[in-house]
Amino acid sequence: MTDADVSRAARHVVFAPLRDGGRVEVVARRISEAIGLGLIADGEQLPSELELAGALAVSTVTLREALALLRQRGLVETRRGRGGGSFVRAPVDASVERLRTVLRETGVHELREIGDHLLAVTATAARLAAERASDDQIARLAELIDQLEAAETVGERRRADGLFHIEIAAAAQSARLTRQEIDLQGEIGELLWIPFGEAIERDERVAQHRAVLAAIADGDGDRARRLTEEHVELAISRLIEFHLQLTQSSP
């Protein structure tokens, strides 16, 4: 994923002041979500500690501790000397067993709660994007669908899928919706792409994305919202079904 694939609006949200406090874990989660979703590219140098702390509205001490936590998780490396700084390392795709364990331990009620939130945010963003998206934003969304169609690894599919929805929120010209979409994709995106097609299927997902994009390009907000609702509801219902299969098969 290159910088050209990520709109300035989406990146601006990543480096915007934190609204939910300046705790170390909150800062680390903001940056790790952005790395996992491809909003910050592999190998990219983060802003200086002073600049990044100022952008996120946290102390430099808090930021240093968050960066130390990200280094422990293998998401950031620090290089010394001239041209040094903190650099992003793309995450290793989660193991199938770990994802299944997470899904098994996530209750049906919680999955429905996440799904309801995702439904509200994503469908609203699609409706507004149909009214507000520029030609450049529509072209960027088309590129992300092509990337999803061509993606070979689970991580690539997850990032292309997540970025598609994040960019729709950015095209809706709403920083709040974009922030919420990033959080939701960071929370549930990996689970939707558990390998072997138990949750969702790529070609079907691509076709759904193209239908949503066509509605946005046509300026048909109601159709974009309806198609997005169907898209999200199907994914969550399959995820719940797979969760139930996993819990029933557990010893």
Side-chain angles (χ1 to χ4, degrees):
M1 212 66 70
T2 66
D3 288 345
D5 297 323
V6 182
S7 71
R8 291 180 180 179
R11 284 178 63 87
H12 176 74
V13 168
V14 171
F15 296 114
L18 289 161
R19 296 180 179 273
D20 46 359
R23 293 178 289 110
V24 171
E25 185 56 45
V26 172
V27 178
R29 185 175 69 243
R30 166 73 69 86
I31 298 173
S32 64
E33 283 177 350
I35 294 172
L37 291 165
L39 290 164
I40 309 176
D42 183 31
E44 180 176 343
Q45 183 174 6
L46 294 173
S48 70
E49 290 184 354
L50 188 61
E51 291 173 329
L52 190 52
L56 298 176
V58 299
S59 70
T60 53
V61 172
T62 296
L63 180 67
R64 287 186 190 125
E65 291 181 9
L67 290 175
L69 191 58
L70 292 171
R71 281 195 294 272
Q72 291 175 12
R73 296 174 181 173
L75 296 175
V76 168
E77 64 178 6
T78 299
R79 303 173 191 169
R80 305 296 180 187
R82 189 173 183 178
S86 295
F87 293 82
V88 168
R89 296 177 60 186
V92 176
D93 289 346
S95 71
V96 175
E97 189 54 41
R98 185 182 76 78
L99 291 177
R100 290 184 179 185
T101 298
V102 171
L103 181 56
R104 186 184 298 112
E105 295 175 352
T106 305
V108 171
H109 177 74
E110 185 176 358
L111 289 171
R112 284 179 177 153
E113 286 278 306
I114 296 170
D116 288 345
H117 192 182
L118 184 64
L119 186 69
V121 170
T122 306
T124 298
R127 179 179 64 80
L128 293 175
E131 300 173 5
R132 302 171 181 175
S134 68
D135 290 342
D136 286 345
Q137 288 169 325
I138 289 172
R140 184 178 297 110
L141 288 168
E143 290 173 2
L144 287 169
I145 296 173
D146 290 341
Q147 288 180 12
L148 175 57
E149 188 171 36
E152 296 182 355
T153 69
V154 174
E156 289 172 349
R157 293 175 185 178
R158 180 243 178 155
R159 285 186 284 276
D161 182 48
L163 277 177
F164 177 78
H165 291 293
I166 291 166
E167 291 294 352
I168 286 178
Q173 299 178 28
S174 171
R176 287 177 180 268
L177 286 176
T178 305
R179 174 71 255 154
Q180 289 184 62
E181 189 68 57
I182 291 172
D183 287 343
L184 287 163
Q185 291 297 330
E187 185 173 12
I188 202 169
E190 278 188 320
L191 296 181
L192 292 173
W193 286 100
I194 293 176
F196 312 124
E198 288 102 337
I200 57 179
E201 199 274 327
R202 180 184 59 177
D203 291 343
E204 181 182 45
R205 194 80 165 175
V206 167
Q208 292 171 350
H209 281 194
R210 292 199 191 283
V212 170
L213 179 56
I216 292 173
D218 289 343
D220 191 336
D222 288 340
R223 189 168 102 240
R225 175 190 53 75
R226 176 177 55 79
L227 289 170
T228 301
E229 287 176 346
E230 294 172 357
H231 176 65
V232 172
E233 286 173 343
L234 179 61
I236 296 299
S237 66
R238 287 182 175 172
L239 200 56
I240 290 173
E241 181 182 352
F242 187 36
H243 160 80
L244 293 173
Q245 291 175 8
L246 287 173
T247 55
Q248 290 168 4
S249 63
S250 297

